[in-house]
């Protein structure tokens, strides 16, 4: 009855997206999931984010903050990426889009749309990977990459072919460059293997981890298509095999969202 009363309150306030965070859900997400499932059934047009899904780590405040950031952005990211995927299908594009993550890996559009907090700073992460690539190609042990866009510039120190990896960042800072003035966002690094710690062969530079492990672009794309369209039958080449499942939720391998994780509207808002 408490959940039903909460659903009525959320509906009366016109809630579009909701973040759910329980104190100990990092260790036992069952109660958080149960509430999420019940609310999703009562409010089918509302987007839901579970802290145990986006940041399953101890420390309630950073986890709740990450869930709130994710819930804020999901009503924009999920319909947009679904629309992109649908447009590509209408145009007979043969593959599903791959979306960059802040971990340096890629996922399918549906997964990315439901986890926008994991895309924050994905552009600079790609720049760091490119720096690792050129450090290896040029045989440079220590390299400073500089990635400048239209509004910001990012630098990354690469030592021994490896980029530094952080488990937390801040978003929406009130005071630019002032630590603590923004919202903490948990972004656990992939383990194992760590970002840019995988030895790449000369013909597989700055590519998804599945390719670094010896899979072709076609096989990697097949895995992405499987994640986006789990009911379709894959027909990989007999000479290869599909990439294994990711080692963790935040790993840089193409991943599939289990049905119980797909909170929110099933169609674009």
């Amino acid at each position: 009855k408490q959940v039903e009363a909460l659903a009525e309150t959320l509906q009366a306030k016109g809630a579009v997206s909701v973040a759910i965070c329980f104190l100990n859900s990092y260790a036992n997400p069952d109660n958080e999931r149960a509430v999420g499932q019940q609310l999703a059934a009562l409010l089918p047009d509302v987007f839901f984010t579970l802290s145990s899904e986006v940041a399953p780590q101890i420390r309630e405040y950073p986890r709740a903050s990450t869930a709130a950031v994710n819930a804020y952005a999901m009503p924009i990211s999920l319909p947009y990426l679904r629309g992109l995927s649908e447009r590509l299908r209408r145009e007979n594009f043969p593959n599903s889009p791959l979306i960059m993550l802040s971990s340096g890996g890629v996922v399918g559009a549906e997964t990315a749309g439901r986890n926008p907090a994991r895309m924050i700073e994905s552009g600079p992460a790609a720049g760091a990977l490119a720096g690792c690539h050129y450090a290896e190609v040029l045989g440079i042990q220590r390299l400073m990459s500089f990635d400048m866009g239209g509004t910001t510039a990012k630098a990354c120190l690469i030592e021994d072919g490896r980029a530094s990896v952080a488990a937390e960042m801040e978003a929406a800072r009130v005071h630019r460059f002032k630590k603590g003035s923004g919202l903490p966002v948990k972004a656990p690094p992939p383990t194992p293997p760590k970002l840019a710690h995988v030895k790449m062969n000369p013909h597989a530079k700055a590519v998804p981890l599945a390719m670094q492990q010896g899979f072709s672009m076609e096989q990697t794309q097949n895995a992405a298509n499987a994640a986006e369209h789990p009911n379709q039958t894959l027909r990989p080449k007999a000479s290869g095999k599909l990439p294994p499942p990711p080692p963790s939720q935040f790993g840089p391998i193409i991943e599939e969202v289990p049905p119980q994780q797909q909170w929110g509207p099933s169609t674009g808002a």
Side-chain angles (χ1 to χ4, degrees):
K1 290 191 177 295
Q2 286 181 321
V3 176
E4 293 175 359
L6 176 59
E8 292 178 0
T9 300
L10 292 172
Q11 190 172 36
K13 290 182 177 292
V16 175
S17 187
V18 175
I20 302 174
C21 180
F22 284 9
L23 181 62
N24 296 311
S25 63
Y26 71 93
N28 181 7
D30 291 348
N31 290 331
E32 198 174 83
R33 287 176 178 172
V35 170
Q37 288 173 342
Q38 190 171 353
L39 284 174
L42 295 170
L43 303 170
D45 296 326
V46 175
F47 298 87
F48 290 91
T49 294
L50 304 187
S51 71
S52 56
E53 301 290 356
V54 297
Q57 290 188 321
I58 195 172
R59 298 188 184 279
E60 180 187 18
Y61 175 66
R63 181 159 42 89
S65 176
T66 303
V69 169
N70 197 83
Y72 179 83
M74 194 195 297
I76 299 172
S77 64
L78 185 55
Y80 177 83
L81 290 175
R82 280 177 173 171
L84 172 64
S85 297
E86 181 59 32
R87 173 69 182 274
L88 291 174
R89 282 193 290 270
R90 289 200 308 268
E91 298 291 337
N92 296 318
F93 190 76
N95 297 316
S96 298
L98 300 177
I99 310 301
M100 191 83 180
L101 299 180
S102 57
S103 66
V106 294
V107 292
E110 181 74 15
T111 303
R114 293 186 179 277
N115 295 273
R118 294 171 59 188
M119 293 188 285
I120 299 174
E121 300 291 356
S122 57
L129 281 178
C132 293
H133 159 64
Y134 284 108
E136 183 177 0
V137 169
L138 300 174
I140 301 174
Q141 292 298 312
R142 302 182 78 238
L143 181 144
M144 176 74 76
S145 69
F146 182 78
D147 184 358
M148 187 171 76
T151 58
T152 60
K154 306 287 184 178
C156 179
L157 177 61
I158 298 165
E159 296 185 282
D160 298 324
R162 300 180 180 183
S164 300
V165 178
E168 186 174 316
M169 67 185 94
E170 283 189 11
R173 281 181 173 170
V174 177
H175 303 288
R176 195 175 186 185
F177 305 124
K178 188 172 183 180
K179 187 176 181 180
S181 66
L183 298 171
V185 176
K186 299 291 288 184
T191 56
K194 291 186 177 180
L195 172 62
H197 285 208
V198 180
K199 286 292 183 180
M200 305 181 195
N201 65 62
H203 302 291
K205 309 291 188 181
V207 293
L209 181 59
M211 293 181 65
Q212 294 175 14
Q213 292 176 331
F215 300 101
S216 69
M217 175 63 82
E218 180 179 354
Q219 292 163 345
T220 303
Q221 186 64 57
N222 279 342
N225 290 336
E228 294 297 293
H229 312 291
N231 295 326
Q232 293 183 1
T233 302
L234 290 177
R235 294 181 175 83
K237 291 183 178 179
S239 59
K241 58 181 180 179
L242 291 176
S248 72
Q249 180 177 356
F250 293 92
I253 303 178
I254 300 159
E255 59 199 71
E256 177 181 353
V257 177
Q260 67 269 19
Q261 289 179 283
Q262 296 189 4
W263 312 103
S266 58
T267 58

